[in-house]
Amino acid sequence: MNRSERNRLREDLQRTVRELSDTYEELTLLYQLSEDLAGLGVDEICEKLLKEVQILFDAETVAILLLNEKERHLYTKASTGNWNPDRIIPRGNRKSIFWRPLLKKKAITLCVTSSEKEHNELAGLGSVLIAPLTGKKKEIGLILAANRRKRDEFFAGDVKLLRSLAFQAGLFMENAILSREVQSFLIGIIRSFVRALEASSEWTAGHTERVTGYAVAVGRLLGFSPAQIERLRICSLLHDIGKIATPDEILNKGERLSEEEWEKIRQHPVIGAEILSELRGFIDVVDCIRYHHERYDGKGLHGLKGDDIPLKARILAVCDAFDAMTSDRPYRRRLSAEEAIEEIEKESGRQFDPEIAEVFSGWIRSAYGIEPPQPEPDA
């Protein structure tokens, strides 16, 4: 083998090594993206994808457009840089540069220097790279990258990489959309069931929806993710489901309950958990329902104490108590919001988690314009 052949072989080997290295980096990136996107909702996937593409391609402008299946138009879900987030793109012109990637299921790149009408859609973006977001059976939308900071044009490797990222993200977004639809259906069924249950007692009507509203607000104040908020919502809607086994004459009794009757009421968290125990994948919901009347000091029905009580159950304990105290009962008048909050603050660290009691108290005081308690004057 002469020198020229050896040099050519060396160059071929170096090129192969570079290609293998690039492929390995791409696979590593896609694997990491899969781990990052697993279990996220559509909003979270879009935000992560937006940041990833902006960094990878050094692009000032990135936009994720989703397809409105009913109206058949594209709308901006997330964007950054030189992009109008209020822009709506109808499907009337099937030759539109925005629809072409979806129709052909391919990524495209353009250098927007032409005066052609379709390029005017992308005026001011320079070179543009667009890839379709598709699932196995569903068109999701598309992702666009433009205005690169260091070099304007996109190359073949860029097209391949964005297409791979978009395909991966599209699969996760399809799953998230289907999951959201199933969960929405489930919550609709739960709400219908709860309304039917509460219709048997005029004293509990609306209680579940109010507690759910309080709990969701507290979850957001505590920094819950959208997925955690939805689980908390399901817990809240189902927290009193065990009362289906409580006799109507107890629920509707017009005078103070006897100790025996109170004992039957106290069993509703256990009964509710037993009713829902066959729900696979909802163990956290079942535990929340089972323990939502536990006391923070450990003196509750099951003896759980402090952080051993599930967090969502500790949230429900505060929200449930506040609504109960501020609702009319046949044997007592309802308390004002201020009186109920003072009672929750009094029981902080005993009946209620002190952190959650503080967050809830601050939120209610702000919402109702209630002044915070004044410190006792020094003796």
Side-chain angles (χ1 to χ4, degrees):
M1 183 183 295
N2 59 39
R3 179 176 296 181
S4 175
E5 290 173 333
R6 285 199 300 270
N7 288 340
R8 187 169 61 252
L9 182 61
R10 185 183 300 111
E11 289 173 0
D12 289 343
L13 181 60
Q14 289 173 340
R15 184 165 53 253
T16 301
V17 169
R18 285 196 300 271
E19 289 174 354
L20 286 173
S21 178
D22 290 344
T23 301
Y24 174 77
E25 288 181 8
E26 182 177 330
L27 289 173
T28 301
L29 174 64
L30 293 174
Y31 176 77
Q32 185 61 53
L33 185 67
S34 296
E35 288 201 327
D36 291 343
L37 299 184
L40 298 184
V42 173
D43 291 351
E44 295 167 304
I45 291 173
C46 287
E47 289 301 324
K48 279 191 173 292
L49 185 60
L50 188 78
K51 293 176 183 177
E52 192 73 46
V53 170
Q54 189 177 17
I55 293 170
L56 280 174
F57 296 93
D58 194 29
E60 180 185 345
T61 299
V62 180
I64 296 174
L65 288 78
L66 299 189
L67 174 62
N68 181 314
E69 292 182 342
K70 184 177 180 180
E71 304 294 336
R72 303 308 291 174
H73 66 244
L74 290 165
Y75 66 95
T76 304
K77 185 65 175 177
S79 66
T80 183
N82 185 23
W83 182 260
N84 177 9
D86 298 322
R87 187 173 189 181
I88 300 294
I89 302 166
R91 191 166 190 167
N93 181 5
R94 293 173 67 85
K95 293 182 180 180
S96 167
I97 201 68
F98 292 102
W99 288 104
R100 195 180 301 169
L102 273 173
L103 294 172
K104 295 187 176 182
K105 303 295 186 291
K106 293 181 179 179
I108 63 172
T109 181
L110 290 165
C111 184
V112 187
T113 57
S114 170
S115 60
E116 293 178 29
K117 184 177 179 181
E118 69 174 23
H119 286 188
N120 289 337
E121 296 182 88
L122 303 171
L125 295 182
S127 289
V128 178
L129 176 58
I130 308 176
L133 290 163
T134 56
K136 289 183 178 179
K137 298 181 179 180
K138 206 176 183 69
E139 290 181 325
I140 309 296
L142 56 84
I143 182 165
L144 172 148
N147 295 134
R148 302 187 85 175
R149 294 183 177 90
K150 293 181 181 178
R151 56 184 173 88
D152 190 46
E153 69 273 21
F154 291 96
F155 299 112
D158 300 318
V159 176
K160 179 185 175 185
L161 180 56
L162 186 63
R163 178 69 187 99
S164 298
L165 290 173
F167 177 72
Q168 193 88 343
L171 292 175
F172 281 99
M173 290 172 77
E174 181 180 49
N175 288 337
I177 290 169
L178 292 173
S179 175
R180 185 174 61 191
E181 290 172 352
V182 170
Q183 187 151 296
S184 178
F185 178 70
L186 173 64
I187 289 176
I189 291 175
I190 291 170
R191 281 200 159 102
S192 298
F193 192 75
V194 168
R195 279 196 291 270
L197 174 63
E198 290 186 344
S200 64
S201 172
E202 62 178 294
W203 306 110
T204 59
H207 167 74
T208 298
E209 289 288 354
R210 290 192 299 271
V211 170
T212 300
Y214 298 148
V216 167
V218 172
R220 287 179 176 141
L221 289 170
L222 292 174
F224 277 25
S225 69
Q228 290 173 315
I229 289 290
E230 288 310 304
R231 297 297 270 202
L232 180 58
R233 191 190 306 278
I234 292 173
C235 292
S236 306
L237 289 170
L238 288 171
H239 79 279
D240 273 348
I241 204 70
K243 287 183 179 177
I244 195 171
T246 305
D248 287 350
E249 57 269 24
I250 293 178
L251 292 176
N252 294 314
K253 188 173 181 180
E255 56 191 41
R256 188 171 294 278
L257 300 178
S258 67
E259 185 56 37
E260 183 181 353
E261 290 167 332
W262 268 119
E263 187 55 35
K264 289 182 179 179
I265 289 282
R266 291 188 191 103
Q267 291 301 314
H268 78 269
V270 176
I271 295 169
E274 289 174 354
I275 290 172
L276 300 171
S277 61
E278 294 300 317
L279 282 177
R280 296 177 182 177
F282 286 84
I283 297 301
D284 60 320
V285 173
V286 175
D287 283 345
C288 178
I289 291 164
R290 188 188 305 277
Y291 301 123
H292 77 273
H293 277 307
E294 289 300 284
R295 289 177 58 96
Y296 192 76
D297 59 11
K299 297 179 181 179
L301 181 65
H302 298 279
L304 292 188
K305 182 177 181 180
D307 290 349
D308 290 337
I309 305 168
L311 176 58
K312 290 189 283 290
R314 283 177 269 148
I315 292 172
L316 278 185
V318 175
C319 300
D320 191 29
F322 178 81
D323 189 71
M325 286 188 284
T326 54
S327 299
D328 285 321
R329 291 293 182 267
Y331 50 84
R332 62 156 173 81
R333 72 170 181 86
R334 64 181 175 184
L335 301 182
S336 68
E338 184 171 9
E339 290 171 323
I341 279 299
E342 287 175 353
E343 186 64 25
I344 286 173
E345 290 169 344
K346 176 184 172 184
E347 289 297 317
S348 175
R350 293 187 294 185
Q351 183 175 350
F352 306 117
D353 181 321
E355 180 185 359
I356 294 169
E358 181 180 3
V359 169
F360 185 81
S361 170
W363 175 61
I364 291 293
R365 285 186 177 278
S366 175
Y368 284 82
I370 302 170
E371 291 294 327
Q374 298 300 313
E376 293 290 335
D378 293 334

